[in-house]
Amino acid sequence: MLILQFISGVYLQFYLLPDWLQNAASVFPLKWMAQGVRGVFLPDSFANLEQSGSRDFPLIALSLLIWLVVGLVLSRFTFRWIRKDT
């Protein structure tokens, strides 16, 4: 988890990372959460430092929604309730 925090822009400035590392971080939801937090709290002058050059709030919401659905499906198939009557 600590490695993901470094490559997703939590500790390091995301625009300073190499392109291949930015693309690798885009696979994980922590990058999208960090980008959303930067978009909310940093002024608009920082928008050009993002990977795409803009805030992309709809893309952030879409990717986090996809991660939510994937997590719910995986938890549905891996988590089992223990019935009291068995």
Side-chain angles (χ1 to χ4, degrees):
M1 187 68 177
L2 188 63
I3 293 171
L4 286 178
Q5 290 176 350
F6 274 103
I7 67 171
S8 65
V10 173
Y11 293 126
L12 301 173
Q13 287 131 354
F14 194 67
Y15 67 90
L16 294 177
L17 297 173
D19 288 337
W20 66 271
L21 199 53
Q22 289 180 5
N23 293 333
S26 296
V27 175
F28 300 103
L30 186 58
K31 181 263 183 193
W32 297 105
M33 287 187 286
Q35 185 175 351
V37 169
R38 285 191 306 266
V40 169
F41 289 112
L42 292 178
D44 290 335
S45 61
F46 284 87
N48 60 351
L49 297 176
E50 295 293 339
Q51 189 176 16
S52 64
S54 65
R55 299 292 176 152
D56 290 334
F57 287 123
L59 183 61
I60 294 169
L62 178 67
S63 65
L64 289 176
L65 182 67
I66 290 170
W67 270 101
L68 175 70
V69 169
V70 168
L72 288 173
V73 168
L74 286 176
S75 67
R76 174 65 180 102
F77 287 118
T78 59
F79 183 75
R80 301 202 43 116
W81 288 100
I82 298 173
R83 294 177 50 169
K84 293 181 181 179
D85 61 345
T86 58

